[in-house]
Each structure stands twice: as structure tokens, then as C-alpha cells.
Amino acid sequence: MNDIEAGDDQNPAAFTAYNTNLSKMLHSENPQFLLGTTLIAKTTDLSTTWQNWQGLVAGAVDFVVIMALDHDTLYSYPTPIVDTGWLQQIYSYVQKFPQLAVEWELPTYCRIWKLHAGWSSQTCEYPEAAKLVHDLQHGIGGRTIDDRSQALDNPYIHYTDIHGTESYLYYETLPGLMNQAKVIQSLEGNQCLYLSFWDDDTGEPQKLWPSLNQQDSIKLC
């Protein structure tokens, strides 16, 4: 598995060539070895042009991991890390490459936006996010302006922190992640899902995998 998240737009063939050569080396060593590569989610050919998905179709890799996260990094104001509308757009683009074996990667980390002469953001970990929401709901650590932390799609809490700074917390709750998985399953139809989660070191909600395994409408591979 390789994770390459920067490349040369002037030489888009390099990404495919690297994976093709690595695949040949692995398969030569052992035909049972599989090569996967991460792909930055996109919805048009013009995004991350150095990652040429078409080039991968010809057997450069055995599977790909679509990083359906970090959507908010495209913007300079508070925005969700991922939402179901964006998942649907990614899926529509993926359909251009039916030969690709796809694993979906969803986020369990969070993002805090703060207003200081413009918006800036930083990532945080799920336990930190859950504690912040709990504290704010109990009047600790700031003042809540709008609490949508229980929303199935695009959960967030808008608040002012202890310094009076306007802030937003976006984080993926267990119900929200379950909803995203259901959306992907609905798009995939009867196919089983390969799922993974990026947890930023401290782990996803403890009940995530048991909940996924017990959900009849989600069929994991």
C-alpha cells in the first residue's frame, strides 16, 4: 500500500509509471501480493491531474483507496470534512473507471475553525471533539451559538470559546459515519463494501465497527 499525496502536474505519467513498476516488482516476488494506492478524492478530471486515474485502470495497481475526506481544505471558511452530497459526486466520478477495485476511506478526526482576522483551522482527535461537545452542552469551556452535533449529515457545533473567539467544530459522529456508510452502500448497490477510517492517531468511536457489522443494510467485504 502506498500513500502519495503530492505530484508533478507537468508529468502526470510519473504516478502511473511508479505504481506500474512497483506492481511488477511485487507480483514478481509473489503473485499473491497486492498493490494498493491512495487517491485524493475528486469529481472532475481537472482535480489533482498528476494522479491520472485512467492510467491505473490498465493494471498499474490491484486496488485503490479513495480518501473521501479533507473536502474542507478546498475552502477558507468553516466547511464539513465530508458530507453525503460530496460522496455522491465522488461516486459519480469513480463510475468512469469501473475496472478499479475501490476501498472507501472516511474520516473520524475533527476540524476546529477559529475566526482571527479570517478563518483558520486545525485538526483534532475524536475524543477531544466528543469532550468539547459534551462540555459546551453543559455550559463549560465556551458558549454555544448553534448545536447541530446530532445531525446525521454535516454535524457541527458553532460556539464562542473561553476567549470569546467565534469557532466551529466539525466532527464525524457514530450516527453520521453510519449514515455515510449507508449512502455508499446504496450507491454501490449489492456490492460489498471495503471501508477504512482515518482516525488521526487516537481511534474512531469505540462502537463504530460493531455497529457496522450489526447493520443489515451495510454489507462489508
Side-chain angles (χ1 to χ4, degrees):
M1 183 70 200
N2 64 68
D3 183 358
I4 303 172
E5 299 187 24
D8 183 0
D9 286 330
Q10 303 304 314
N11 185 19
F15 179 72
T16 301
Y18 170 81
N19 280 287
T20 300
N21 292 333
L22 183 57
S23 179
K24 289 179 179 178
M25 292 173 58
L26 285 174
H27 292 163
S28 175
E29 179 71 22
N30 188 329
Q32 294 185 338
F33 286 168
L34 298 179
L35 175 65
T37 189
T38 55
L39 296 178
I40 298 171
K42 59 182 177 179
T43 59
T44 72
D45 293 334
L46 297 179
S47 301
T48 56
T49 54
W50 61 271
Q51 267 194 348
N52 179 10
W53 294 18
Q54 183 64 53
L56 299 177
V57 170
V61 294
D62 298 298
F63 68 95
V64 298
V65 177
I66 306 293
M67 297 187 292
L69 41 83
D70 286 345
H71 188 215
D72 52 345
T73 60
L74 302 176
Y75 302 94
S76 58
Y77 53 85
T79 316
I81 298 169
V82 61
D83 58 37
T84 57
W86 192 54
L87 288 176
Q88 292 167 343
Q89 292 179 56
I90 299 169
Y91 179 81
S92 294
Y93 185 76
V94 170
Q95 292 311 286
K96 295 178 61 176
F97 313 98
Q99 300 96 323
L100 289 179
V102 174
E103 173 185 320
W104 292 85
E105 184 176 60
L106 297 171
T108 61
Y109 58 88
C110 65
R111 193 95 67 187
I112 296 177
W113 292 81
K114 291 186 177 294
L115 183 60
H116 290 292
W119 290 100
S120 60
S121 68
Q122 62 184 44
T123 58
C124 63
E125 298 161 354
Y126 177 80
E128 179 184 349
K131 182 180 186 303
L132 176 56
V133 171
H134 176 272
D135 288 350
L136 287 169
Q137 290 174 340
H138 289 80
I140 303 171
R143 180 180 64 84
T144 300
I145 299 173
D146 186 15
D147 184 353
R148 301 193 182 184
S149 59
Q150 299 304 309
L152 282 182
D153 195 28
N154 186 18
Y156 69 87
I157 189 164
H158 182 195
Y159 65 100
T160 55
D161 66 15
I162 56 175
H163 305 293
T165 301
E166 185 179 1
S167 307
Y168 281 84
L169 165 70
Y170 285 87
Y171 83 125
E172 305 308 319
T173 63
L174 176 58
L177 290 167
M178 293 291 293
N179 182 58
Q180 290 171 14
K182 289 178 182 178
V183 167
I184 296 173
Q185 180 72 84
S186 176
L187 293 168
E188 294 278 6
N190 292 324
Q191 298 181 49
C192 64
L193 294 182
Y194 289 97
L195 282 177
S196 62
F197 297 89
W198 180 254
D199 62 25
D200 202 16
D201 297 333
T202 59
E204 63 272 345
Q206 291 183 352
K207 296 182 180 179
L208 177 57
W209 286 111
S211 297
L212 288 167
N213 286 320
Q214 293 169 10
Q215 180 58 244
D216 292 338
S217 61
I218 299 173
K219 183 169 63 174
L220 298 178
C221 297

